[in-house]
Amino acid sequence: MNNVLIIGGGLAGCTVAQELSAAGLDSCIVEKSAFLGGKVRGYGCKADAKCNNCGLCAVGDLWQSVESNQKIKKLCNAHVIDIFKENGEYKALIQTDNGIIEENFSELVVATGFESPDKTTGSEYDSSAYPRVYTGNALEKLMMNRKENSLFPEAPKSVAFIMCYGSRNVKERASYCSQVCCAYSTRAAKVIKHYYPEAEVVMFYMDLQAVNPGNYARELEEAGIKLERCRPVDISFDGDKPVVAFEDEEGKTKRSFDYLFLNTGIHPDVMNNTAIADITGLRVRSDGFLTYVEQPENTGVYLAGCAVAPMNTYDTIASARNTAAMLINNATEGSVK
Amino acid sequence: MIIASQKPIDEIKEYIKDYKKILIAACGTCVTVCLAGGEKEARELAELLSLDGDQEFRVVTPERQCDSEFLAEFDENVGWADVVLSLACGVGVQYMAERYVKKPVVPGLNTSFMGTNRDAGYWTEMCQGCGNCVLEKTGGICPVARCSKSHFNGPCGGSADGKCEIDPSTDCAWQLIYDRLKSLDQLEKLYETIPPRDWSTSRDGGPRKIRRPDVAIEEG
Amino acid sequence: MKAVLAGKSNYSEGFKAALTEAGLELIMADTASDLKGLPEEMPVVLLYDAKISPLVTDRAVLDRSILGLKPHDMIVFLMDKDEEASPYVESRVIDAASYLASIKRRVTVLMRSSRASDERFDDRYMSARNKGVTFIKYDDIEISENDEIYLIEVYDGKISVSLETPLLIDCGEKPTPELEDFVKALRLRTYGDGCITGNRWFLNQGSTFKRNVKLINTIALDGDLNKVIPALVKDIHALSKPGQGQTAFVDSKKCAYCYTCYRVCPHSALGPDENAAAMKVNDLLCAACGICVAVCPASAITFKGEKVEGDRAEKSGKKLKMFCCENSALIASKNALDGLDAAVEAVPCGGDITSEMMTKALKDYERVMVAVCCDDACKHRDGNKRVIRQVERLKERLEKLGHDSHRLSCIQTGVTMSNILKGAAEKALSGGGKK
């Protein structure tokens, strides 16, 4: 019997399910929220005058396809309570809307993704309380709801981005680089410039990933985006307008902006990951992400997507496809437990 | 290959405006290849011209309109029509007109030149059918068709940076000839003067005929 | 299952072993001429080969190169100059720099950014710094040479730093010329600056427009072949069957052998069939995009088993007909057009839409809109741009005939731009045209 339990119904989880289904294997997605799609379903295309390679086209109509696929069992508003190994199979106890169910699986895929980027480090700038501050999710919503001639409720005169907010700082949240923020925020900045050519768009950065080949910094400057190499010291508010304190050539200074974007990064849900690692035999690394203890071909427990490390859309899809390929391989050869 | 392009659509409309039943005759050879008058263009035209709704259109695609055997199968359709809009080159239009004596045959294309498809959507003139080919003397590049002034013995004074003074996007043929002969190591051919030409072998001598008695079919 | 392993790279041995172990019978092709005679549809794993300075990869070469230097001479490793260095190069550079520092040389590594997200790299940077390696991040750089001494000015947005070095090691990866030969021999369609650097990776990483050619940058994998081997092998096995349920089909009697489809096909799926003096579709390469059907001047291509034109423009009683590309506009249209007086027809690619289809639609509907992917986003290279040009041509002709060309419009959207699509549909319905 080949029945795969996929914990997490986001991009990685749904991609694995779809690949398995195409190969004739059964799977069951357990998703803690009410809908499939995870973070990516809320992302918006970042084309300005042309495509900027944000990767959403690769996702395509994945969600609708998985939702309408009868062969993939989907349990939303559900989570896995415990998993036992019994006779070479995994018995999972799943809490659903209709009580606790028990089901047997031949393999497990952990595709639990990352924590909501709206939870920031230090000060909590939830966009509902601070409407002029956009963190990860809120930025994507903006892109998704774009109209032909407007992005924001009011046209801005100035917009600022703070890169590496919550990453690459051992004291705060994470020492690592979140991999995706340079790409998505510079693309969003290009879109903003496209809609509001007169607006001043400033990006406070430490380093700049090479998102496109060649001198990306120059490419952005030619698009009219101002790059300020510094790490802002403080964020305060003048009324509801965000004020950023930073240091430039002349010394310490403060500026207010109409809108402020914080690149909050990709961070693991450490509590969730610890619980998952407990019941699946995986391990939580020092940076909070999940990793294998033993080879998945031996244990039947696989990982996919951002549960492993920060990844962008393409890499997540590639990781999920790879995991699915390993599962399909094992299924055709006969599972080894 | 014969290269042609479609006439402006308002001109075509003008030709057929007084008729009710129009047969659009595409051609499956040269004009298909140069994207001017093949079946696809014919069907497109039929849709476009019938937008008004007060005319009836049919489309046929003979393999060629310059051989009568290919036309025979369309006699019935021609019979139905009030006018034939031929999308063949000038040869095909005339051949149809000859065959269907009582039926008006109007052209949908402007036949332009004998040439080549350099790139998708780009055709250039290569040969003018002058009837007396000198390509051996010019390294395979035709001074008649590709030099704007049809000079026979070198460029005019306007050749600059390899481009023609008449049209700066046209290569100077004599620059091309020189470069080619140089790469063939045959530059001394340039010293052989090509004498003034007898243009009667070209169109200037009147409509031309070619006869090959050895392959003629004798009747009777 | 046979597959070609094309190109050489530092990792071809490891790759070869892994692929063979996974059950593939490998045919080696070191140069493009080794491809001669192989079937067009044979799977090809094309190693994105790169030349890296041996000063980075070879300890012995590095040792020899520092022989003539004085102990206090600065040695400079230059990374990320033209493109971001891959993890492989990055780790080799840190190794080489650490080694030099440990033998008491002065070493500086110039880089545009650091790419750390796991423990491994952070440790290595820290340990290199502890040994005495200097890391300098730069945005702009100017290099001049004077009598075999390099003068380097780096600028990081705020300050500039000057360095002098007799040994400047360029750590860039340069594609080998053999790669160009392979691109030509394999008839890989390129887009913009070429399929390798401008790789349309949203088609699936490692893919090109040609179904049977998989691109692998083994350098970037840094030895972690397991990241790609299972999916790659699965994809190769899948190549033995046609990718789509449908494929295009050429009627050899109508085909004018004009090579138009051959040139236009983004997937290199059309080729000459000498026996028939016509074009033939390679079922294993055809992506069923439909562009050849639209482009053929002799209307000689159809989809097997299905009439492409004719059944499409059925009257639905609606006011607006929208042709939506299934890769972008169709997805954006779900739920966006509820309640609007519009009928949606899906097409595999904008490039399928012909003038004939649009004109037929204008007879049955008051307004017609063509909704396709944004520039550079077309999954079939430039089907989107092709149809936009057709729309422009048709509008000109409509005007010349005295019809209202504003009844026809077109729009480019992304997968999630529902609001924009909705706005455009509302505008078209209210009488204004978008273009």
Side-chain angles (χ1 to χ4, degrees):
Chain A
M1 185 259 319
N2 278 115
N3 189 10
V4 179
L5 173 63
I6 301 174
I7 307 176
L11 179 57
C14 287
T15 302
V16 172
Q18 199 182 50
E19 296 270 321
L20 291 178
S21 172
L25 298 177
D26 293 329
S27 63
C28 172
I29 300 177
V30 172
E31 165 57 39
K32 70 178 185 224
S33 77
F35 299 102
L36 294 181
K39 311 292 184 301
V40 178
R41 196 162 188 174
Y43 288 2
C45 167
K46 296 184 190 63
D48 46 23
K50 63 180 187 65
C51 168
N52 275 319
N53 281 336
C54 70
L56 287 179
C57 306
V59 179
D61 64 353
L62 176 66
W63 319 122
Q64 292 90 333
S65 172
V66 171
E67 276 163 0
S68 59
N69 187 332
Q70 305 293 337
K71 298 250 179 68
I72 303 174
K73 190 165 169 184
K74 295 152 291 244
L75 299 167
C76 291
N77 285 326
H79 65 271
V80 177
I81 303 173
D82 209 344
I83 300 177
F84 308 100
K85 202 144 181 193
E86 219 174 60
N87 300 330
E89 275 184 352
Y90 286 100
K91 187 194 284 290
L93 288 175
I94 305 168
Q95 173 79 59
T96 68
D97 275 344
N98 305 322
I100 297 180
I101 65 173
E102 221 180 75
E103 199 169 321
N104 284 358
F105 298 96
S106 51
E107 283 116 338
L108 314 173
V109 174
V110 174
T112 45
F114 56 98
E115 194 173 58
S116 166
D118 275 346
K119 289 212 183 94
T120 67
T121 70
S123 28
E124 304 279 312
Y125 292 122
D126 168 13
S127 289
S128 58
Y130 300 92
R132 288 178 178 276
V133 177
Y134 290 84
T135 53
N137 273 356
L139 179 152
E140 294 293 345
K141 222 180 187 170
L142 201 67
M143 293 293 132
M144 193 143 108
N145 292 336
R146 58 199 282 186
K147 300 205 178 67
E148 193 196 329
N149 290 319
S150 67
L151 260 188
F152 296 100
E154 287 163 30
K157 290 206 196 60
S158 62
V159 162
F161 284 78
I162 300 183
M163 323 272 274
C164 302
Y165 188 87
S167 304
R168 309 191 61 207
N169 185 329
V170 181
K171 271 190 291 189
E172 292 188 9
R173 187 63 163 280
S175 58
Y176 53 79
C177 161
S178 289
Q179 300 287 303
V180 306
C181 324
C182 281
Y184 82 69
S185 61
T186 51
R187 289 174 186 141
K190 279 187 189 169
V191 173
I192 293 172
K193 254 321 210 182
H194 178 68
Y195 273 85
Y196 308 103
E198 301 304 316
E200 194 190 352
V201 177
V202 181
M203 303 190 87
F204 294 100
Y205 76 107
M206 283 165 61
D207 298 303
L208 194 62
Q209 293 258 10
V211 174
N212 291 339
N215 192 334
Y216 193 52
R218 187 162 294 149
E219 190 185 317
L220 293 175
E221 278 175 338
E222 278 164 13
I225 294 164
K226 188 152 185 283
L227 296 174
E228 273 286 350
R229 182 96 180 268
C230 85
R231 211 170 161 135
V233 178
D234 190 41
I235 300 170
S236 54
F237 288 88
D238 176 10
D240 66 344
K241 277 208 182 159
V243 177
V244 178
F246 61 99
E247 188 166 343
D248 63 11
E249 290 96 21
E250 278 108 54
K252 295 207 176 87
T253 181
K254 271 189 186 173
R255 267 204 59 182
S256 83
F257 293 93
D258 290 321
Y259 299 108
L260 177 63
F261 290 84
L262 302 175
N263 285 7
T264 40
I266 288 185
H267 302 294
D269 184 343
V270 184
M271 251 177 48
N272 198 33
N273 282 357
T274 310
I276 294 276
D278 245 356
I279 60 177
T280 56
L282 293 167
R283 172 172 83 85
V284 180
R285 286 204 312 248
S286 60
D287 56 13
F289 290 96
L290 288 167
T291 187
Y292 294 117
V293 175
E294 266 188 75
Q295 283 309 296
E297 294 89 345
N298 297 336
T299 59
V301 178
Y302 293 80
L303 281 165
C306 287
V308 177
M311 289 184 193
N312 61 29
T313 316
Y314 313 114
D315 288 337
T316 305
I317 294 176
S319 153
R321 295 190 72 239
N322 212 42
T323 298
M326 289 195 279
L327 283 162
I328 293 165
N329 249 6
N330 277 0
T332 47
E333 287 168 18
S335 4
V336 179
K337 293 298 174 312
Chain B
M1 182 119 276
I2 294 180
I3 312 296
S5 55
Q6 233 179 71
K7 282 180 172 292
I9 195 153
D10 47 345
E11 193 180 327
I12 297 177
K13 183 80 181 182
E14 190 60 31
Y15 291 169
I16 58 165
K17 71 177 193 307
D18 296 326
Y19 301 97
K20 281 273 171 266
K21 292 188 281 191
I22 297 108
L23 180 67
I24 303 184
C27 173
T29 313
C30 308
V31 296
T32 293
V33 177
C34 66
L35 313 184
E39 180 173 321
K40 178 179 131 135
E41 289 291 327
R43 284 162 59 159
E44 218 175 88
L45 265 181
E47 282 302 322
L48 206 41
L49 294 169
S50 64
L51 259 181
D52 286 333
D54 46 11
Q55 287 168 311
E56 240 184 285
F57 290 84
R58 279 191 197 175
V59 171
V60 294
T61 311
E63 179 73 26
R64 296 198 280 286
Q65 290 182 25
C66 49
D67 278 314
S68 52
E69 287 85 346
F70 287 119
L71 298 179
E73 72 180 277
F74 301 108
D75 286 347
E76 194 197 311
N77 274 305
V78 176
W80 162 88
D82 298 330
V83 67
V84 178
L85 170 61
S86 168
L87 298 185
C89 68
V91 179
V93 179
Q94 292 188 65
Y95 220 57
M96 286 206 105
E98 257 183 51
R99 183 181 179 85
Y100 304 110
V101 176
K102 294 270 177 66
K103 202 69 65 166
V105 179
V106 297
L109 307 188
N110 288 325
T111 308
S112 300
F113 50 79
M114 287 185 279
T116 185
N117 186 197
R118 290 249 165 230
D119 212 345
Y122 177 50
W123 295 269
T124 57
E125 183 163 12
M126 298 286 263
C127 173
Q128 275 205 337
C130 72
N132 190 354
C133 191
V134 296
L135 288 174
E136 183 270 334
K137 303 192 200 306
T138 58
I141 292 149
C142 179
V144 178
R146 298 177 68 184
C147 169
S148 299
K149 301 176 184 175
S150 295
H151 279 203
F152 268 65
N153 289 290
C156 71
S159 167
D161 290 328
K163 297 292 181 189
C164 174
E165 73 171 349
I166 309 289
D167 181 354
S169 65
T170 303
D171 291 330
C172 168
W174 279 96
Q175 179 72 59
L176 295 174
I177 292 169
Y178 176 85
D179 291 338
R180 182 96 215 292
L181 288 175
K182 185 161 181 206
S183 70
L184 289 172
D185 214 12
Q186 290 180 344
L187 278 176
E188 55 301 340
K189 280 204 196 279
L190 289 175
Y191 289 116
E192 300 164 20
T193 315
I194 304 175
R197 135 96 55 118
D198 170 10
W199 288 99
S200 65
T201 59
S202 177
R203 174 67 185 77
D204 302 86
R208 296 162 282 175
K209 313 175 206 6
I210 295 179
R211 287 209 186 267
R212 283 272 305 277
D214 61 312
V215 296
I217 299 167
E218 285 182 19
E219 297 298 329
Chain C
M1 174 95 192
K2 287 205 180 113
V4 177
L5 187 62
K8 286 193 284 230
S9 85
N10 297 310
Y11 268 106
S12 57
E13 285 315 307
F15 224 74
K16 189 169 157 187
L19 292 176
T20 312
E21 209 183 288
L24 295 178
E25 192 190 318
L26 291 181
I27 301 170
M28 305 304 288
D30 283 348
T31 63
S33 49
D34 295 330
L35 294 173
K36 271 207 187 71
L38 294 173
E40 178 98 40
E41 68 277 1
M42 176 163 287
V44 175
V45 178
L46 179 56
L47 301 177
Y48 175 14
D49 196 2
K51 271 221 223 7
I52 302 164
S53 167
L55 289 164
V56 173
T57 52
D58 197 327
R59 193 55 50 86
V61 174
L62 185 61
D63 278 335
R64 273 201 303 278
S65 68
I66 61 173
L67 278 177
L69 299 182
K70 301 189 203 59
H72 60 266
D73 277 333
M74 173 77 76
I75 301 164
V76 175
F77 287 87
L78 173 57
M79 277 176 38
D80 304 335
K81 182 154 147 284
D82 296 315
E83 271 194 41
E84 181 171 315
S86 63
Y88 172 81
V89 170
E90 195 183 352
S91 66
R92 296 295 166 280
V93 168
I94 296 177
D95 276 349
S98 296
Y99 162 70
L100 288 175
S102 69
I103 56 171
K104 303 287 183 275
R105 298 286 178 169
R106 292 177 67 209
V107 190
T108 298
V109 177
L110 299 174
M111 52 210 312
R112 287 191 194 273
S113 63
S114 64
R115 282 120 358 229
S117 86
D118 68 18
E119 303 148 342
R120 281 185 305 150
F121 270 142
D122 276 346
D123 275 350
R124 283 164 116 164
Y125 275 111
M126 202 145 56
S127 125
R129 280 198 189 93
N130 286 341
K131 291 206 175 90
V133 178
T134 308
F135 291 91
I136 298 183
K137 291 190 193 138
Y138 70 93
D139 284 337
D140 273 315
I141 187 167
E142 254 174 53
I143 305 169
S144 55
E145 195 191 330
N146 189 359
D147 214 10
E148 298 197 14
I149 302 281
Y150 293 94
L151 302 158
I152 307 167
E153 281 274 329
V154 284
Y155 181 63
D156 73 353
K158 285 203 149 46
I159 10 174
S160 67
V161 172
S162 300
L163 297 167
E164 240 182 58
T165 176
L167 182 57
L168 173 62
I169 303 170
D170 186 345
C171 310
E173 297 155 64
K174 294 172 191 23
T176 57
E178 287 80 31
L179 196 59
E180 270 309 302
D181 294 338
F182 276 114
V183 169
K184 282 204 190 83
L186 289 168
R187 282 180 59 210
L188 286 173
R189 293 287 183 234
T190 65
Y191 194 96
D193 53 11
C195 76
I196 309 297
T197 52
N199 192 22
R200 301 299 298 154
W201 45 329
F202 73 87
L203 296 174
N204 270 328
Q205 274 188 328
S207 288
T208 60
F209 283 116
K210 206 171 172 192
R211 188 174 171 242
N212 65 324
V213 180
K214 305 290 177 195
L215 269 182
I216 302 288
N217 184 343
T218 54
I219 310 288
L221 292 174
D222 193 19
D224 195 357
L225 302 174
N226 264 328
K227 266 201 246 171
V228 293
I229 293 271
L232 177 64
V233 171
K234 174 168 165 289
D235 284 345
I236 291 177
H237 282 296
L239 291 173
S240 59
K241 289 192 226 72
Q244 309 290 323
Q246 292 181 331
T247 52
F249 174 72
V250 178
D251 179 347
S252 57
K253 286 199 297 297
K254 288 175 93 168
C255 172
Y257 221 9
C258 66
Y259 274 83
T260 302
C261 58
Y262 175 94
R263 293 170 191 152
V264 170
C265 176
H267 308 284
S268 305
L270 283 155
D273 177 0
E274 284 100 19
N275 296 333
M279 280 297 155
K280 190 172 62 154
V281 176
N282 189 330
D283 282 357
L284 293 178
L285 296 178
C286 178
C289 67
I291 295 179
C292 59
V293 176
V295 139
C296 174
S299 298
I301 311 183
T302 50
F303 276 119
K304 262 189 214 161
E306 182 186 292
K307 260 183 74 172
V308 175
E309 294 173 64
D311 338 342
R312 282 182 171 179
E314 75 306 313
K315 189 162 172 61
S316 64
K318 303 270 184 181
K319 192 169 162 186
L320 166 67
K321 168 89 175 219
M322 293 177 67
F323 290 100
C324 288
C325 173
E326 67 186 21
N327 299 307
S328 55
L330 187 69
I331 299 171
S333 73
K334 298 253 157 73
N335 305 322
L337 305 174
D338 288 347
L340 290 182
D341 199 358
V344 169
E345 179 176 330
V347 284
C349 178
D352 294 1
I353 304 167
T354 59
S355 185
E356 196 184 333
M357 283 162 68
M358 293 189 272
T359 314
K360 272 206 180 104
L362 282 168
K363 286 181 178 160
D364 292 333
Y365 297 85
E366 263 182 63
R367 307 246 167 241
V368 174
M369 185 186 300
V370 168
V372 295
C373 300
C374 298
D375 275 3
D376 288 7
C378 181
K379 285 194 173 159
H380 306 285
R381 195 165 165 269
D382 64 348
N384 54 346
K385 288 191 183 164
R386 299 189 75 86
V387 72
I388 290 173
R389 284 181 258 143
Q390 289 303 315
V391 168
E392 274 154 28
R393 182 176 180 238
L394 180 55
K395 280 162 86 83
E396 265 174 45
R397 309 221 293 170
L398 287 169
E399 284 294 324
K400 280 219 170 97
L401 289 175
H403 299 294
D404 178 11
S405 70
H406 293 108
R407 291 175 58 207
L408 175 64
S409 59
C410 66
I411 183 174
Q412 291 180 272
T413 71
V415 218
T416 60
M417 295 191 196
S418 307
N419 280 346
I420 292 187
L421 195 64
K422 182 173 177 180
E426 283 166 347
K427 212 180 198 170
L429 283 166
S430 71
K434 181 158 164 51
K435 279 191 197 180

